[in-house]
């Protein structure tokens, strides 16, 4: 994982934007190729297992899915539920904070659907 120098202009600008710009902060939390899709599937299906998410996210590697799930969990947008059974069962669900993104995700979906050619 790449780390930036604390004194670099890039890091100073990023820190400033994330602290003082709501849009930048939101994009830092949900941005990237996969996070928004993971959140959208969890909004729709409520709880999903790792394999179910992997099947829905065509083209994602296991490593990338794990990374994104950990980031979403660290940002307190999803919960990881581990059931004490054999074989181990793990499910993911949105936290209350994650559910608060419902309207944003719906608006993004509606905007995107209206822009691309469906032919």
């Amino acid at each position: 994982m790449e780390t930036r120098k604390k004194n670099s202009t890039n890091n100073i600008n990023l820190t400033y934007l994330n602290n003082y710009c709501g849009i930048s902060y939101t994009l830092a939390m949900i941005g990237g190729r996969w996070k928004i899709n993971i959140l959208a599937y969890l909004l729709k299906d409520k709880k999903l297992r790792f394999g179910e998410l992997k099947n829905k996210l065509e083209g994602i590697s296991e490593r990338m899915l794990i990374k994104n799930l950990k980031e979403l969990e660290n940002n307190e947008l999803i919960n990881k539920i581990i059931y004490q059974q054999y074989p181990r069962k793990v499910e993911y669900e949105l936290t209350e904070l994650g559910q608060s993104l419902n309207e944003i995700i719906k608006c993004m979906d509606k905007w995107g659907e209206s822009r691309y050619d469906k032919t």
Side-chain angles (χ1 to χ4, degrees), residues 49 83-90:
R49 296 182 70 175
Y83 295 93
Q84 298 301 318
Q85 66 183 53
Y86 185 82
R88 191 169 107 169
K89 179 180 177 184
V90 177

Side-chain angles (χ1 to χ4, degrees), residues 37-102:
N37 291 308
I38 292 168
L39 294 169
Y41 284 127
L42 289 173
L43 274 170
K44 181 179 176 243
D45 295 327
K46 306 300 181 212
K47 286 185 183 179
L48 289 169
R49 296 182 70 175
F50 181 88
E52 293 170 324
L53 278 167
K54 182 151 179 9
N55 289 338
K56 289 177 180 287
L57 298 165
E58 190 171 319
I60 193 170
S61 68
E62 285 190 22
R63 181 177 173 204
M64 186 57 66
L65 180 54
I66 291 167
K67 177 184 178 287
N68 279 271
L69 289 169
K70 282 182 182 177
E71 288 175 8
L72 290 168
E73 189 177 7
N74 289 339
N75 291 335
E76 300 178 355
L77 296 174
I78 65 170
N79 284 324
K80 180 179 181 179
I81 305 161
I82 302 171
Y83 295 93
Q84 298 301 318
Q85 66 183 53
Y86 185 82
R88 191 169 107 169
K89 179 180 177 184
V90 177
E91 289 182 328
Y92 296 90
E93 68 180 1
L94 292 175
T95 61
E96 191 173 323
L97 182 62
Q99 291 174 6
S100 71
L101 294 166
N102 187 23

Side-chain angles (χ1 to χ4, degrees), residues 8-55:
S8 74
T9 304
N10 192 332
N11 192 52
I12 291 167
N13 291 339
L14 181 63
T15 301
Y16 177 82
L17 284 172
N18 285 343
N19 288 332
Y20 298 103
C21 177
I23 294 170
S24 291
Y25 178 77
T26 303
L27 289 175
M29 297 281 282
I30 66 172
R33 180 182 287 181
W34 303 108
K35 287 181 189 174
I36 196 73
N37 291 308
I38 292 168
L39 294 169
Y41 284 127
L42 289 173
L43 274 170
K44 181 179 176 243
D45 295 327
K46 306 300 181 212
K47 286 185 183 179
L48 289 169
R49 296 182 70 175
F50 181 88
E52 293 170 324
L53 278 167
K54 182 151 179 9
N55 289 338

